[in-house]
Amino acid sequence: MSIKGAIKYDKRHIIFSNFAHGIGGFGLALLLQDYFQGHAFISIYWGWFFIAVSALEHLIAWFS
């Protein structure tokens, strides 16, 4: 459980890591769009789901 272990995991799973960061950012964009504009083009539950997947990837990397 260290940052070096997380970096090592991300180096071995580069596509999964980049995908998780991408959908995490997209989920955050959905939540911010809903907050500032009042409505997102898809349900904000998808935004929370995408952020949860991103957080799960970070936990997996951290504990690897």
Side-chain angles (χ1 to χ4, degrees):
M1 185 164 83
S2 68
I3 192 71
K4 288 183 181 183
I7 291 171
K8 189 175 181 182
Y9 177 86
D10 285 341
K11 284 182 180 180
R12 286 181 285 152
H13 301 92
I14 192 75
I15 294 174
F16 181 52
S17 175
N18 287 324
F19 176 74
H21 282 92
I23 65 168
F26 184 70
L28 181 61
L30 285 173
L31 294 178
L32 289 174
Q33 181 183 13
D34 186 68
Y35 178 74
F36 287 118
Q37 298 291 343
H39 63 284
F41 63 95
I42 60 175
S43 174
I44 62 167
Y45 295 115
W46 281 107
W48 285 115
F49 174 73
F50 292 152
I51 290 172
V53 168
S54 181
L56 180 63
E57 187 276 334
H58 284 85
L59 287 174
I60 290 170
W62 185 261
F63 288 109
S64 68

